[in-house]
């Protein structure tokens, strides 16, 4: 893990009535910035993952007869709240599989197993859990470069989340510069629409049309003289789409956060990375399935809308109305917080009512120095110039060229990670409305381990914990050395506020509690700390 902090990277603001994508000013297609240390492949299990609910226990007796066992079950049930226990089978080593009359988890499950083990006839009692695999995809760049998705304090722990949901049946609308053909996207792309209203800005010879192809957003001497952009097109919409929902397990490239979700490309930004607010608003309405005069009906309404773009000042009324229409239809709208290093209240759509505004964190798990902050909902990895976010791209310098993979950093990269997480939640818990989805994300978000003094909202998104919570489970269990210390000093620590997270290689590990942190590593074991060091990867490993 690199200890170098990133330098500020932000886009110049667009003209008064235009929106700009919120990625970095230049994509790193070569060796312009050093990359993060790749580290070993992601571990296949999470020792701190919370135990799911179960209605089965395994109870090993010390040579107890059946009538004795029945008495033990009845007494334990009385002590633990009246749960009925019925034997269903014996294990290969002679233990009993016992069924409860309800799904139990957390304190209820612990109370029952404790009550059983208090009886001298019982050798042990433990939950009979469903084992799962940690779904590490075979996309070659996942293990090598997609640090933002790893189960690491700076990443969002996607392998564990993919065991629960992959975004199947969901549609992520990417309102952006459009899209280009790419083998890591094509299987997931639905027919979209082009809402760039002027032919010169759209570079396609017309206004609105059903072709969302990105024609290139490179600067134009007439449309945007003295533009701060580099001469090349950014392929910004293709990049954000890949972060949200690039195909997985296809043996090539990368994986998106929701690899089985569909992508609905909505082009609203054209030349000079600019797009009129009215065009963006029309794109949001269309993506939500609302009628838009002059455009064909959308046969595939989105289940989440991503806006990785921004404009300074108050939320424009036309955009506020469009976002309100989407929210009223039950469709969350995820937006980039902005790259000006100021309070997000000063930037739209981050300050539009009801949106999920996303700040960016860097490879150390700290607030990225370019990111807006404060008035945000939560944060996600957006990278920095030394460790950017790898995603789908294009080789074209102006017009479209060949498919490629490029690296960028910005709050534009953080927002689609959260849009992907919303898609996972909508698959796993389809009954959740907009408020319920946002609550699942914010109630399980975790403190930025590298620090976020100006404010990262609820913290860094943690998709697997959000999925567990959305499905009625307890997302923050304790286990291993951290769990053992917590049980001894629980009055000091308070309740867990995050799941256990380990650095690549399995040590050190960290878990946040109400009153501080428990840190564990192989050399020193578990110990209690009030504060996590900002450079969390430098904690001592030996006495």
């Amino acid at each position: 893990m690199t200890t170098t902090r990133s330098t500020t990277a932000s886009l110049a603001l667009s003209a008064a009535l235009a929106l700009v994508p919120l990625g970095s000013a230049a994509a790193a297609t070569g060796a312009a910035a050093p990359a993060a240390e790749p580290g070993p492949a992601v571990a296949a299990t999470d020792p701190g993952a919370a135990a799911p609910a179960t209605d089965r226990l395994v109870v090993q007796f010390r040579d107890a007869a059946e009538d004795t066992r029945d008495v033990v079950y009845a007494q334990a049930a009385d002590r633990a709240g009246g749960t009925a226990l019925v034997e269903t089978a014996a294990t290969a080593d002679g233990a009993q599989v016992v069924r409860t009359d309800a799904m139990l988890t957390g304190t209820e499950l612990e109370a029952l197993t404790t009550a059983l083990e208090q009886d001298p006839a019982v050798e042990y009692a433990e939950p009979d859990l469903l084992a799962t695999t940690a779904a590490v995809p075979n996309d070659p760049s996942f293990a090598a470069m997609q640090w933002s998705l790893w189960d690491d304090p700076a990443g969002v722990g996607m392998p564990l989340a993919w065991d629960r949901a992959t975004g199947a049946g969901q549609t992520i609308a990417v309102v952006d510069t459009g899209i280009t053909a790419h083998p890591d996207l094509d299987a997931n792309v639905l027919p979209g629409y082009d809402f760039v209203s002027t032919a010169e800005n759209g570079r396609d010879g017309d206004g609105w049309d059903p072709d969302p192809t990105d024609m290139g957003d490179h600067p134009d001497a007439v449309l945007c003289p003295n533009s701060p952009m580099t001469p090349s097109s950014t392929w910004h919409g293709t990049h954000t789409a890949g972060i949200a929902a690039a195909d997985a397990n296809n043996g090539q490239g990368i994986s998106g956060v929701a690899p089985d979700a569909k992508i609905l490309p909505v082009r609203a930004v054209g030349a000079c990375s600019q797009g009129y607010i009215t065009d963006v608003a029309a794109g949001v309405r269309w993506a939500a399935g609302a009628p838009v005069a002059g455009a064909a009906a959308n046969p595939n309404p989105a289940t989440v809308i991503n806006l990785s773009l921004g404009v300074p000042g108050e939320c424009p009324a036309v955009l506020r109305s469009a976002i309100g229409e989407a929210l009223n239809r039950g469709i969350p709208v995820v937006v980039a917080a902005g790259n000006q290093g100021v309070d997000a209240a000063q930037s739209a759509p981050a300050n539009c009512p009801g949106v999920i505004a996303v700040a960016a964190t860097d490879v150390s798990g700290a607030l990225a120095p370019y990111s807006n902050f404060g008035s945000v909902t939560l944060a996600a990895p957006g990278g920095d110039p030394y460790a950017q976010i790898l995603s789908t791209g294009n080789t074209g310098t102006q017009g479209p060229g060949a498919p490629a993979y490029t690296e960028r950093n910005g709050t534009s990269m953080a927002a689609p990670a959260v849009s992907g997480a919303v898609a996972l939640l909508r698959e796993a818990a389809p009954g959740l409305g907009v408020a319920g989805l946002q609550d699942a994300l914010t109630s399980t978000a975790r403190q930025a381990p590298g620090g976020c003094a100006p404010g990262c909202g609820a913290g860094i998104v943690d998709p697997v914990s959000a999925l567990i919570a959305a499905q009625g489970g307890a997302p923050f269990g304790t286990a291993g050395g951290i769990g053992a210390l917590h049980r001894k000093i629980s009055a000091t620590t308070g309740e867990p506020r995050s799941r256990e997270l380990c650095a690549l290689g399995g040590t050190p590990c960290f878990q946040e509690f109400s009153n501080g942190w428990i840190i564990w590593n192989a050399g020193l074991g578990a110990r209690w700390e009030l504060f996590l060091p900002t450079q969390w990867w430098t904690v001592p490993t030996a006495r």
Side-chain angles (χ1 to χ4, degrees), residues 57-84:
L57 303 175
V58 180
V59 184
Q60 179 67 273
F61 286 88
R62 297 183 172 91
D63 300 322
E66 183 176 350
D67 55 351
T68 301
R69 298 200 302 269
D70 289 340
V71 172
V72 171
Y73 297 145
Q75 292 176 342
D78 287 342
R79 289 196 296 269
T83 301

Side-chain angles (χ1 to χ4, degrees), residues 389-411:
I389 306 299
L390 181 72
S391 188
T392 43
N394 195 277
T395 62
T397 56
Q398 294 191 340
Y405 296 92
T406 57
E407 293 183 287
R408 302 185 66 81
N409 59 272
T411 55

Side-chain angles (χ1 to χ4, degrees), residues 105-412:
T105 189
T107 55
E108 293 176 320
L109 191 58
E110 185 175 357
L112 182 55
T113 55
T114 299
L116 286 163
E117 290 181 336
Q118 287 174 343
D119 194 294
V122 175
E123 182 177 337
Y124 69 81
E126 61 187 20
D128 188 14
L129 302 177
L130 290 169
T132 61
T133 59
V136 178
N138 64 12
D139 309 270
S141 290
F142 174 80
M145 299 185 69
Q146 287 191 275
W147 62 267
S148 61
L149 304 188
W150 295 344
D151 194 28
D152 170 270
V156 294
M158 290 316 304
L160 292 167
W162 288 325
D163 282 340
R164 294 176 175 271
T166 56
Q170 306 307 307
T171 299
I172 303 172
V174 179
V175 182
D176 212 293
T177 65
I179 200 163
T180 57
H182 199 290
D184 236 354
L185 297 176
D186 294 346
N188 288 344
V189 175
L190 296 170
Y193 215 85
D194 177 8
F195 284 97
V196 178
S197 55
T198 63
E200 61 272 20
N201 196 34
R203 291 182 168 143
D204 56 0
D206 58 19
W208 291 6
D209 63 63
D211 182 2
T213 299
D214 188 343
M215 304 303 295
D217 63 349
H218 56 278
D220 181 284
V222 175
L223 294 176
C224 51
N226 303 315
S227 170
M229 287 183 64
T230 59
S232 298
S233 292
T234 66
W235 314 112
H236 191 273
T238 300
H239 198 274
T240 54
I243 294 169
D247 201 4
N249 288 311
N250 59 358
Q252 62 182 328
I254 65 166
S255 175
V257 170
D260 287 336
K262 297 299 183 183
I263 300 163
L264 183 68
V266 181
R267 188 178 185 226
V269 176
C272 312
S273 277
Q274 293 180 355
Y276 287 102
I277 291 173
T278 49
D279 291 348
V280 173
V284 170
R285 286 184 176 274
W286 185 85
V292 176
N298 175 13
N300 301 296
T303 50
V304 57
I305 296 173
N306 188 86
L307 295 176
S308 288
L309 37 75
V311 66
E314 297 181 2
C315 179
V318 66
L319 187 58
R320 183 170 62 248
S321 175
I323 290 171
E325 177 71 28
L327 296 175
N328 288 339
R329 289 170 175 260
I331 303 168
V333 180
V334 180
V335 307
N339 295 339
Q340 294 77 47
V342 300
D343 194 300
Q346 301 177 38
S347 179
N351 58 10
C352 293
V355 300
I356 298 173
V358 186
T361 51
D362 64 16
V363 73
S364 69
L367 178 71
Y370 57 78
S371 177
N372 288 355
F373 49 77
S375 301
V376 298
T377 310
L378 74 177
D384 60 52
Y386 296 92
Q388 304 194 74
I389 306 299
L390 181 72
S391 188
T392 43
N394 195 277
T395 62
T397 56
Q398 294 191 340
Y405 296 92
T406 57
E407 293 183 287
R408 302 185 66 81
N409 59 272
T411 55
S412 275

Side-chain angles (χ1 to χ4, degrees), residues 8-105:
T8 303
S10 62
L11 275 182
L13 300 178
S14 59
L17 288 181
L19 293 172
V20 296
L22 295 176
S24 62
T29 56
E37 298 175 14
V42 178
T45 58
D46 177 5
T54 183
D55 59 354
R56 288 163 56 112
L57 303 175
V58 180
V59 184
Q60 179 67 273
F61 286 88
R62 297 183 172 91
D63 300 322
E66 183 176 350
D67 55 351
T68 301
R69 298 200 302 269
D70 289 340
V71 172
V72 171
Y73 297 145
Q75 292 176 342
D78 287 342
R79 289 196 296 269
T83 301
L85 301 174
V86 178
E87 284 185 2
T88 61
T91 67
D93 62 352
Q96 301 300 317
V97 178
V98 180
R99 196 77 177 261
T100 65
D101 61 0
M103 297 294 286
L104 302 177
T105 189

Side-chain angles (χ1 to χ4, degrees), residues 399-431:
Y405 296 92
T406 57
E407 293 183 287
R408 302 185 66 81
N409 59 272
T411 55
S412 275
M413 286 67 251
V418 174
S419 292
V422 171
L424 304 186
L425 286 170
R426 299 212 72 163
E427 176 196 352

